[in-house]
Amino acid sequence: MEIRNLGRSGLKVSAVSYGNWLTHGSQVEEDAALACVRQALEEGITTFDTADVYANTAAETVLGKALKDQRREGLEIFTKVYFPTGPGAHNDHGLSRKHITESIEGSLRRLGTDHVDLYQAHRYDHETPLEETMEAFADVVHSGKALYIGVSEWRAEEIREAHALARELRIPLVSNQPQYNMLWRVIESEVVPTCEELGIGQIVWSPIAQGVLTGKYKPGAELPAGSRATDEKGGADMIKRFLDDDVLTRVQALQPVADEAGLSLAQLAVAWVLQNPNVSSAIIGASRPEQVTENVKAAGVTLDADALAAIDEALGDVPEKDPAKTTSPATRDFG
């Protein structure tokens, strides 16, 4: 497993990290989830990402159970705060001091640890002053409950403002967690240059575009039975944007590039993400241990200039690059 620094911080992470957004506590049985974590550890993954909102806190509990007997110093455990948890009352979401202070306690209890290595703002909160949010994060760090701070799906200007406040408060804001893959490149023109300047690394989610970049979805064909695209609770709504026949035809055109590189399409997709020097880690998920084994083979792969050019040629103008599509909800409308 390749090990990288998270941005310009001293924290080292595995280039491929394991996330349990759509699986643990919801989509797969607990025994299968535990098997996937064991396989991730076996493959050299040390970085594990979750969030309090995943399966309404159950994902954190499952991950804590899976990592219980591991050496804590050998792991990097990340979680997030923002979205509704519990019954979803008026203070059960957002980035207020109240919600952050209460949420970190719940996350630590479920994860079975006295600190997380990275505590992330899962989205930007337009209804709470940024100063309040950052001061609450500072309290979390200074109390030893988190070692580093990160954000997820924030715009470049939001990241810059938060970073300035973090420096004043003497806390390390070191990461952003955006969606990033061959088909979704909205961070490239604004977020990545800003983060490179500030020393912030990307921990990217959905490197295989919710499975579309594996090539299993064929243009003009029925959706595979049991696939994520058919599971309303497992991300079907998010994957719809990629199920256009033109997109799927372009994805099939990547097969010769993968063959030439000696990779599967999924491995090519993960390797492509890791070529971006601002990407510190790519998060993979799994419902079966063998999926972990396949995807980690992308770590340490270098795609040459010809391969990267061939990928761009195959995909044409299909990839989304509009920076305005970086997710940042205008309100707390969680309906």
Side-chain angles (χ1 to χ4, degrees):
M1 175 57 61
E2 180 188 3
I3 302 297
R4 300 181 172 191
N5 281 67
L6 182 49
R8 285 203 294 266
S9 78
L11 180 63
K12 292 180 169 55
V13 297
S14 50
V16 175
S17 46
Y18 184 87
N20 67 353
W21 166 36
L22 289 173
T23 51
H24 296 193
S26 57
Q27 196 179 36
V28 302
E29 296 297 327
E30 186 170 312
D31 286 349
L34 297 177
C36 288
V37 173
R38 286 195 295 271
Q39 192 62 38
L41 292 163
E42 183 70 21
E43 299 290 350
I45 291 176
T46 61
T47 306
F48 294 85
D49 180 80
T50 188
D52 58 4
V53 71
Y54 297 164
N56 197 16
T57 74
E60 287 184 326
T61 300
V62 174
L63 184 61
K65 187 178 297 186
L67 297 176
K68 182 174 66 172
D69 297 326
Q70 300 298 313
R71 177 176 174 267
R72 179 65 183 87
E73 294 83 356
L75 302 172
E76 304 84 50
I77 300 176
F78 302 167
T79 194
K80 312 182 199 70
V81 58
Y82 172 80
F83 286 109
T85 53
H90 51 278
N91 279 313
D92 288 343
H93 48 69
L95 297 178
S96 68
R97 172 179 287 277
K98 177 175 173 63
H99 187 53
I100 289 173
T101 300
E102 294 171 349
S103 293
I104 187 62
E105 297 295 342
S107 290
L108 295 179
R109 183 177 64 253
R110 290 184 290 269
L111 289 165
T113 182
D114 62 358
H115 72 281
V116 291
D117 298 281
L118 181 71
Y119 199 38
Q120 302 160 94
H122 209 159
R123 292 294 187 272
Y124 189 88
D125 186 350
H126 293 271
E127 295 187 0
T128 298
L130 184 57
E131 292 81 2
E132 176 181 340
T133 294
M134 297 307 294
E135 287 168 2
F137 277 135
D139 287 347
V140 170
V141 171
H142 294 153
S143 65
K145 295 172 184 175
L147 305 184
Y148 299 85
I149 295 299
V151 300
S152 177
E153 294 288 6
W154 283 30
R155 300 180 188 273
E157 62 271 20
E158 296 162 349
I159 292 171
R160 184 178 295 280
E161 187 177 359
H163 184 266
L165 287 169
R167 287 181 64 89
E168 291 178 15
L169 294 163
R170 303 181 69 80
I171 56 173
L173 173 57
V174 299
S175 66
N176 176 49
Q177 187 174 134
Q179 179 177 192
Y180 184 54
N181 54 61
M182 291 180 186
L183 300 174
W184 193 259
R185 307 186 190 182
V186 301
I187 64 169
E188 289 182 340
S189 64
E190 295 181 3
V191 168
V192 166
T194 296
C195 288
E196 286 178 332
E197 174 192 342
L198 300 176
I200 292 171
Q202 310 298 320
I203 307 162
V204 305
W205 59 274
S206 194
I208 59 174
Q210 287 101 61
V212 170
L213 288 170
T214 66
K216 66 182 176 182
Y217 298 102
K218 310 295 185 184
E222 292 290 323
L223 298 175
S227 67
R228 184 170 294 174
T230 64
D231 185 354
E232 292 302 324
K233 294 183 178 179
D237 187 57
M238 292 198 64
I239 203 173
K240 287 177 183 175
R241 70 178 64 159
F242 299 131
L243 295 180
D244 178 84
D245 274 356
D246 185 33
V247 174
L248 298 181
T249 299
R250 297 281 189 167
V251 170
Q252 294 300 313
L254 294 171
Q255 189 64 61
V257 186
D259 292 342
E260 179 69 22
L263 302 170
S264 69
L265 280 175
Q267 291 162 355
L268 181 73
V270 177
W272 181 89
V273 161
L274 292 173
Q275 304 309 295
N276 188 316
N278 192 228
V279 171
S280 299
S281 188
I283 301 171
I284 63 166
S287 55
R288 303 187 310 277
E290 54 267 29
Q291 292 173 323
V292 178
T293 298
E294 175 177 353
N295 290 336
V296 297
K297 292 176 182 176
V301 170
T302 299
L303 299 176
D304 61 26
D306 289 343
L308 294 173
I311 289 169
D312 285 342
E313 182 176 356
L315 293 177
D317 61 358
V318 159
E320 179 59 68
K321 298 182 180 181
D322 182 2
K325 293 191 175 180
T326 298
T327 303
S328 185
T331 68
R332 291 185 188 153
D333 179 8
F334 300 114

